[in-house]
Amino acid sequence: MTEMIDIPDAEGDWEPATELQEGGSNPARQASMFQSAAWPLSSLALLSVDLEAVARRLRLSLETSWDGHGSVRAAFFVLDGTDFVVSHHEGDAPGTHVWTRKGGPVDPATRVGSLLAALRVGPEAVSYSSWGVGTDLARMPAAWWRGRSKPTWSRQDFWANFKTRPGMFAGRVSFGAVTGFLNGYDTACEGALLNGVQEWLAAKLGFGGNLVYWALAVKLIFPDGCPEEPWSPENDQRAVTGLLGLLDEFFEHLAKDPKDPVSG
C-alpha cells in the first residue's frame, strides 16, 4: 500500500473555494460537477495524499456521484489557470486521482506542479504520472482506464494516432515533451516500441552507437550542427517533425523486414 503524505490545512485567510470573489486568498476556485460535466478529461497523476486532506487544504466541497464502477467523490476547480478534477472511487486504493481538461498550452508536469505547490507537497507525492522518462504506465491506476472501450492499443495503433496528433498524448508539442512521452510509453511496454531504433539511427548516421536515440535524431535533423539552446519555436517544431519522420521511416522499415531492424 502506498504511504500517504500529510499536507497542511488551509491557510487562515483562505475562503471556501466555492465563494468566487475578486482578490480572494484561496488559489482554488471551485466549479460544480454539474457545470463541468461536459469537460473532456485527461488523466495526469495519482497523488499519495488523501482526497479529504486535499479538500481541507483548498477548502473544496467534495461532491458524490456514481458510475459503472461505483460511488465516486470529486471536486472540480480552477487553479493557476488550469481546470482540475480530484477524485477517488469507493473501493480504490488510497490516494487522489488528478485529471484536467484535455488540451491547453501547459505540459502535464507543469500542470501538476502548480497543484503540488498549492498543496505544499513535493514531487514525492506523485505515485504515478502520465508523463516523463521512467513513468511506469504499465502500473497505471485502474480508474484511469474507466470508460475506455479499448484500454490497450497495439504498437501500430498507438503510432498511427500519435504521429498525427502528438498533442493529445504529450500535452505540449515540443521535442522534450514528445521524447518524454515516448520514453514513458516505451518503458511501459518493456521496450517494445523503440527496440532497435537507436541502432538503426546510428547506422543511418554512420556513427554514434554510444548515444541515445534522441541525440542521434537531433544530429540527423540538424546536419549543420545543433542549434544553440534554448531552441527557438521554429527549431523546436523542426526537431519534432524530423523525429516523427525518422521514427515513421524506422517503423516502415520494420514492417518490411521485422528481423532486420538495423540495416536499411
Side-chain angles (χ1 to χ4, degrees):
M1 179 182 294
T2 302
E3 183 178 352
M4 293 292 99
I5 294 176
D6 293 330
I7 59 177
D9 288 340
E11 304 299 323
D13 60 345
W14 283 9
E15 70 281 3
T18 53
E19 296 181 6
L20 302 178
Q21 56 184 356
E22 293 293 331
S25 301
N26 189 343
R29 290 292 176 268
Q30 187 161 1
S32 74
M33 188 179 292
F34 176 79
Q35 290 172 310
S36 309
W39 286 4
L41 297 177
S42 176
S43 55
L44 285 183
L46 173 67
L47 304 183
S48 55
V49 297
D50 185 74
L51 180 61
E52 293 281 354
V54 173
R56 286 196 303 270
R57 169 67 181 171
L58 299 179
R59 302 201 66 185
L60 302 168
S61 294
L62 293 175
E63 300 178 82
T64 301
S65 187
W66 178 89
D67 60 19
H69 301 273
S71 178
V72 58
R73 304 186 74 199
F76 294 70
F77 60 99
V78 179
L79 175 70
D80 196 23
T82 293
D83 296 307
F84 284 105
V85 181
V86 288
S87 69
H88 184 266
H89 271 79
E90 183 180 22
D92 276 358
T96 297
H97 298 283
V98 181
W99 315 75
T100 189
R101 191 194 299 262
K102 286 186 177 179
V106 184
D107 66 69
T110 301
R111 289 176 188 260
V112 170
S114 66
L115 178 58
L116 296 181
L119 297 178
R120 296 283 296 275
V121 294
E124 70 279 359
V126 179
S127 296
Y128 306 99
S129 68
S130 59
W131 70 87
V133 177
T135 297
D136 189 358
L137 299 183
R139 300 176 62 201
M140 184 180 287
W144 287 11
W145 296 116
R146 288 180 174 139
R148 301 186 185 188
S149 59
K150 189 179 182 182
T152 304
W153 281 351
S154 68
R155 187 191 68 190
Q156 291 80 7
D157 288 334
F158 164 75
W159 181 249
N161 282 273
F162 185 87
K163 70 179 181 181
T164 54
R165 296 183 295 276
M168 284 183 57
F169 299 84
R172 182 184 178 193
V173 186
S174 68
F175 190 77
V178 167
T179 54
F181 185 90
L182 290 174
N183 291 339
Y185 188 99
D186 189 57
T187 299
C189 61
E190 299 181 348
L193 179 69
L194 299 176
N195 182 35
V197 71
Q198 187 269 348
E199 295 85 353
W200 181 80
L201 288 170
K204 190 176 184 69
L205 190 63
F207 64 90
N210 62 328
L211 299 177
V212 293
Y213 81 89
W214 59 86
L216 293 169
V218 166
K219 291 184 177 297
L220 287 164
I221 296 163
F222 300 103
D224 295 327
C226 180
E228 183 178 350
E229 295 186 1
W231 289 353
S232 67
E234 294 76 17
N235 281 330
D236 202 9
Q237 289 308 300
R238 178 182 171 185
V240 170
T241 301
L243 176 65
L244 296 180
L246 286 167
L247 291 177
D248 210 28
E249 183 182 345
F250 170 70
F251 293 138
E252 287 180 1
H253 170 71
L254 280 186
K256 294 176 182 177
D257 190 356
K259 295 182 180 181
D260 182 22
V262 176
S263 64

